[in-house]
Amino acid sequence: MWGTLIGNMGFILRNICSKKSLQSFKEVNGLNLYGRITIVSLLYLFLVVVSVEGSQWVEGYRRDLLAVVKPSTLYLWVIISGVFYHLYNQSSYQALDQITPLTFSVGNTMKSVVVIVSSILVFKNPVRPLNALGSAIAICGTFLYSQTIVANKAKKLEGERRAEICCFLHLHSTCFQ
């Protein structure tokens, strides 16, 4: 539970910092920022990964090869997984370029709920009460967020209409005299 909480906080902070970077540097778009962060992350974390998990790579590789029928199947799944993960992150940064970090985080929360519900339906995973409660809270939070956005847009449109009417009446008040 704590790992998930810390991971989500890191994800939110990354979104906020990325959005501020996109606003500060107008010549950098979401894709370029994602590319730069990916390259820096590779350089920064490669030595850490090798020192922490490097001794387990050979054993894990052998275990995974025994779990599949052909080695080419393992390689294909690793490549497909990497490509889709890259495309997911790339599209995330493209979306973050267009929306606020809060909207992005709410959407990501709903994505998690969809993944959980899909795994329940497809793989027949059992639902624990805590999982059901977490999904219900996420769905209710997303609903309330979307209702707040709609209400704020309606208030903004109403204010703009009133301003236009007042401006119209003020400009044409001399015509009515």
Side-chain angles (χ1 to χ4, degrees), residues 42 109 152 154 157:
L42 172 69
T109 301
N152 285 343
L157 284 175

Side-chain angles (χ1 to χ4, degrees), residues 2-177:
W2 287 106
T4 303
L5 180 64
I6 292 169
N8 284 336
M9 290 301 294
F11 180 75
I12 291 168
L13 290 174
R14 183 193 76 173
N15 290 343
I16 292 170
C17 292
S18 295
K19 186 65 174 189
K20 285 185 179 181
S21 295
L22 288 171
Q23 291 169 345
S24 298
F25 305 111
K26 297 297 182 190
E27 68 277 357
V28 177
N29 64 15
L31 289 177
N32 289 334
L33 182 63
Y34 171 64
R36 292 175 184 185
I37 289 174
T38 301
I39 292 168
V40 170
S41 297
L42 172 69
L43 298 174
Y44 180 70
L45 293 174
F46 182 75
L47 293 176
V48 174
V49 169
V50 170
S51 64
V52 173
E53 296 184 3
S55 63
Q56 301 171 13
W57 284 353
V58 174
E59 179 188 333
Y61 175 73
R62 287 184 183 146
R63 185 181 61 242
D64 290 344
L65 278 178
L66 293 174
V68 296
V69 177
K70 296 186 291 186
S72 60
T73 304
L74 174 67
Y75 303 138
L76 178 66
W77 282 109
V78 167
I79 290 169
I80 289 172
S81 173
V83 166
F84 278 110
Y85 186 74
H86 173 76
L87 291 174
Y88 162 72
N89 280 310
Q90 184 175 331
S91 63
S92 294
Y93 271 85
Q94 284 179 300
L96 190 60
D97 204 9
Q98 304 295 321
I99 59 177
T100 67
L102 179 62
T103 302
F104 185 79
S105 295
V106 169
N108 192 57
T109 301
M110 277 313 296
K111 177 197 62 105
S112 299
V113 171
V114 168
V115 167
I116 291 169
V117 170
S118 299
S119 74
I120 290 168
L121 296 175
V122 173
F123 302 116
K124 309 290 189 239
N125 290 338
V127 181
R128 296 186 179 123
L130 192 58
N131 293 4
L133 177 66
S135 294
I137 289 171
I139 291 169
C140 289
T142 303
F143 174 74
L144 292 173
Y145 176 76
S146 65
Q147 292 302 308
T148 303
I149 294 296
V150 168
N152 285 343
K153 284 183 180 178
K155 284 181 184 178
K156 184 178 177 183
L157 284 175
E158 183 64 31
E160 288 174 0
R161 285 186 194 135
R162 285 185 181 170
E164 288 174 358
I165 290 171
C166 288
C167 183
F168 176 79
L169 291 176
H170 179 70
L171 289 174
H172 297 305
S173 63
T174 56
C175 297
F176 297 118
Q177 295 177 351

